[in-house]
Amino acid sequence: MVSGIASRVKLFMGRSDWELDWHVYLDLEEDVKTMLRRAGPLPSSGLYCELMGIDRWEDEIFGRQWWSSDFDGAFSLRWPLPNGRSGAETASEHWSLVADDDQGTNIMVADRSDPSSRTNAAIAGARVYLQGPLVNDNPTDTEDHNLLEIHPLDSIAYAKDATGQFLTAKPTDQTWPISTVQWRVAVMTNAGFHRINSCDFLRKARTTTWYLDLPSGASLPDMFTSVTARSPGLWHSPSNTRYTSRGVTSVAVQPPAEDANLSHTAFPVDPVDGRHKLRVTVTMDEPDDWGGIFLRDFTIHSRPLIADH
């Protein structure tokens, strides 16, 4: 797992498959870069993850037309994009929002240095946590692709405060919220339609565990914490409907969501740093042609317990 500030989001239009790939670039702390360089060289533009969600595809004379929209919610994408199709429900629903001449190129969607572009991908500028295998895109191509990236992505998480503002602080910073933290977690599994199925782990059922930090006030004396969960839903292009998840075997939340008046010690201990956190474990089905996705919001609220008189 790595974390960093999402500096920009790009949309890649595949030339041969007419696919839509979302690239999220991270600005990393120097100690994180040092650790990652032990595994391989980092891109000068920063570490990025690449993903594509599939709803359906249609054969065409010169390629496949992908209908892909699952990741709009996970990445807090917004519609419309510049020069996009006005009739599309989501930013990634229709491949034609990218001009034919731009196939095989990256289209800038959002950059944290450009506030006006953040309406397209509000995640730009937020602290993002990513889990997934670190790979070399193409080890035989030493000039352009023999660099580390997270591909395919297993899971992403990020947090907001009580007002809905994306958090940039680390949980150990003094500016971390005292009373309320809102987490969004998305877990994905590979799709058989992707051309990245040669690795054994991509064809297996995947289990991903998150330890989500509590508000900083949760550990104070006489403070009690509640957890609530919400499913924002995912857009399904072919049926024009929303669904909560697909390809999920099981979900375990500890302590269970909807519990109230929880003590700090009711939350499991993260074995990495020894701090009490909300634990979310998601096990996916074995990947099929379409893959799977889980998306859930968790609001953690800490406050003093007021006794009845």
Side-chain angles (χ1 to χ4, degrees), residues 194-208:
H194 290 156
R195 296 180 298 168
I196 50 176
N197 299 309
S198 59
C199 295
D200 289 342
F201 70 86
L202 293 173
R203 300 194 296 271
K204 297 178 180 178
R206 307 280 288 165
T207 295
T208 301

Side-chain angles (χ1 to χ4, degrees), residues 143-156:
E143 292 187 2
D144 295 326
H145 296 101
N146 192 17
L147 300 170
L148 281 181
E149 63 175 274
I150 299 180
H151 183 182
L153 181 70
D154 280 347
S155 191
I156 179 174

Side-chain angles (χ1 to χ4, degrees), residues 247-278:
V248 178
T249 297
S250 64
V251 178
V253 181
Q254 185 62 35
E258 312 306 333
D259 276 4
N261 297 337
L262 294 164
S263 66
H264 184 239
T265 56
F267 292 85
V269 172
D270 185 342
V272 174
D273 59 16
R275 302 172 62 211
H276 291 275
K277 302 177 184 180
L278 179 69

Side-chain angles (χ1 to χ4, degrees), residues 72-266:
D72 288 62
F75 280 82
S76 288
L77 302 177
R78 297 289 184 266
W79 186 262
L81 289 174
N83 304 318
R85 175 170 293 199
S86 60
E89 173 70 18
T90 61
S92 57
E93 181 180 356
H94 206 287
W95 66 269
S96 62
L97 62 88
V98 180
D100 292 345
D101 291 342
D102 292 326
Q103 287 184 1
T105 62
N106 281 293
I107 309 301
M108 182 65 72
V109 175
D111 192 308
R112 69 172 177 172
S113 63
D114 178 12
S116 64
S117 71
R118 292 192 188 182
T119 58
N120 300 326
I123 201 173
R127 178 168 295 277
V128 175
Y129 301 78
L130 302 173
Q131 289 194 45
L134 287 165
V135 302
N136 289 333
D137 184 19
N138 184 354
T140 63
D141 185 348
T142 57
E143 292 187 2
D144 295 326
H145 296 101
N146 192 17
L147 300 170
L148 281 181
E149 63 175 274
I150 299 180
H151 183 182
L153 181 70
D154 280 347
S155 191
I156 179 174
Y158 55 86
K160 301 179 182 180
D161 64 16
T163 67
Q165 294 296 310
F166 288 84
L167 296 178
T168 60
K170 297 179 181 179
T172 53
D173 292 344
Q174 290 185 345
T175 54
W176 186 255
I178 296 175
S179 60
T180 303
V181 178
Q182 304 177 64
W183 284 98
R184 172 160 291 185
V185 175
V187 181
M188 285 73 78
T189 192
N190 189 42
F193 280 126
H194 290 156
R195 296 180 298 168
I196 50 176
N197 299 309
S198 59
C199 295
D200 289 342
F201 70 86
L202 293 173
R203 300 194 296 271
K204 297 178 180 178
R206 307 280 288 165
T207 295
T208 301
T209 297
W210 282 100
Y211 284 90
L212 304 176
D213 276 272
L214 310 178
S216 59
S219 61
L220 297 176
D222 300 322
M223 293 289 284
F224 291 84
T225 301
S226 62
V227 178
T228 57
R230 184 182 71 90
S231 297
L234 296 152
W235 183 253
H236 185 242
S237 301
S239 62
N240 293 332
T241 59
R242 291 192 176 275
Y243 62 99
T244 57
S245 64
R246 72 175 178 221
V248 178
T249 297
S250 64
V251 178
V253 181
Q254 185 62 35
E258 312 306 333
D259 276 4
N261 297 337
L262 294 164
S263 66
H264 184 239
T265 56

